[in-house]
């Protein structure tokens, strides 16, 4: 079993270049069209027209590229204070990509629950699930952000 997080980017940057950035910025090891890191794995791919439409209607974002993270639930991939290591890796990697790739983006848990949304340069953190506290909130320190209840898909 795994937890699933997806970063959808509205960008002209091609998927292979996004994969290279992941390796450069966060040390994730490329593996074909995918990657691996501590407690996580994933892949980068083009967003289907159907998913793009769902995201446009639900959140006002029309992404072209998806970075899909699969977080391991194995006991060795957990930390007592932070939970699953892969969650931190997925979140840090996604925020690092936002620093390098301009444009709208949304980070979604399990295909339907937005964790954050970026439109223009502002970041909206989803207040609905209580995700943003402790070390997670520290990761966005120094960024312009606001809290709001983001609708599920």
């Amino acid at each position: 079993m795994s937890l699933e997080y997806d970063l959808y980017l509205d960008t002209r940057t091609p998927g292979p270049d996004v994969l290279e950035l992941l390796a450069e910025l966060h040390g994730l090891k490329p593996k074909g069209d995918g990657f691996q890191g501590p407690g996580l794995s994933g892949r980068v791919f083009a967003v289907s027209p159907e998913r793009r439409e769902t995201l446009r209607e639900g959140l006002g974002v029309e992404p072209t590229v998806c970075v899909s993270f699969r977080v391991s639930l194995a006991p060795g991939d957990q930390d007592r204070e932070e939970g699953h290591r892969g969650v931190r890796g997925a979140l840090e990697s996604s925020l690092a990509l936002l620093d390098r790739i301009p444009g709208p983006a949304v980070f979604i848990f399990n295909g339907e629950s937005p964790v954050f949304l970026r439109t223009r340069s502002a970041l909206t953190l989803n207040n609905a699930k209580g995700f943003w506290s402790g070390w997670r909130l520290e990761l966005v320190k120094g960024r312009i952000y606001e809290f709001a209840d983001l609708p599920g898909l």
Side-chain angles (χ1 to χ4, degrees), residues 72-94:
S72 170
L73 297 179
D77 289 327
Q78 294 184 33
D79 181 275
R80 197 177 300 214
E81 293 176 16
E82 296 184 4
H84 303 289
R85 284 192 187 105
V87 173
R88 183 181 195 100
L91 191 53
E92 286 178 339
S93 296
S94 295

Side-chain angles (χ1 to χ4, degrees), residues 4-59:
E4 298 179 15
Y5 289 90
D6 297 308
L7 175 66
Y8 290 95
L9 300 162
D10 182 352
T11 181
R12 290 189 174 126
T13 306
D17 292 351
V18 173
L19 186 58
E20 281 183 35
L21 274 173
L22 277 171
E24 175 190 323
L25 296 172
H26 209 260
L28 298 177
K29 294 178 177 44
K31 196 173 186 181
D33 68 345
F35 55 86
Q36 283 192 296
L40 62 83
S41 62
R43 64 189 188 100
V44 178
F45 56 91
V47 178
S48 72
E50 298 81 14
R51 186 64 172 163
R52 183 180 229 198
E53 181 65 16
T54 298
L55 292 166
R56 185 188 65 74
E57 288 177 0
L59 296 166

Side-chain angles (χ1 to χ4, degrees), residues 10 90 101 129:
D10 182 352
I101 299 175
K129 300 287 183 184

Side-chain angles (χ1 to χ4, degrees), residues 113-116 124-132 147-150:
S113 300
V115 175
F116 69 71
T124 302
L125 309 179
N126 194 352
N127 201 33
K129 300 287 183 184
F131 181 86
W132 293 102
F147 285 102
D149 291 339
L150 298 173

